[in-house]
Amino acid sequence: DFASIVVAWNGSRQAARAMVYSMPFLRASRKVTLLVAGSKPEEVNAPYLARHLQRHGIAAEIDGIDPGAVSGRARGRALLE
């Protein structure tokens, strides 16, 4: 059982395939966050994905960050927050 899983989502085919493979882990998690970086969630269909996960019994919330022109370390800190 996982307490929390964060899924980086950009709407690509590769991300969609990774979601399919990760479904057993997502079902075992108490909290799933769809993280969209550098785009608006609507631009990459994150609300659609959240509804899709809900149909599979997975409650997911959407969060976004704007990585901007900061260092990799600052991006890592933003992800941890």
Side-chain angles (χ1 to χ4, degrees), residues 1-74:
D1 191 32
F2 301 100
S4 179
I5 293 178
V6 176
V7 177
W9 179 253
N10 65 4
S12 69
R13 289 178 129 169
Q14 294 85 357
R17 181 171 287 196
M19 287 297 297
V20 170
Y21 293 138
S22 69
M23 290 297 280
F25 299 105
L26 300 178
R27 284 189 190 104
S29 177
R30 287 177 281 200
K31 178 181 176 185
V32 174
T33 302
L34 302 174
L35 181 66
V36 178
S39 299
K40 293 181 181 178
E42 297 79 25
E43 293 173 355
V44 294
N45 294 319
Y48 171 80
L49 176 60
R51 286 191 304 272
H52 174 75
L53 292 174
Q54 187 175 18
R55 286 192 296 268
H56 288 275
I58 301 165
E61 64 181 48
I62 301 170
D63 198 1
I65 61 169
D66 182 8
V70 296
S71 70
R73 179 171 282 174

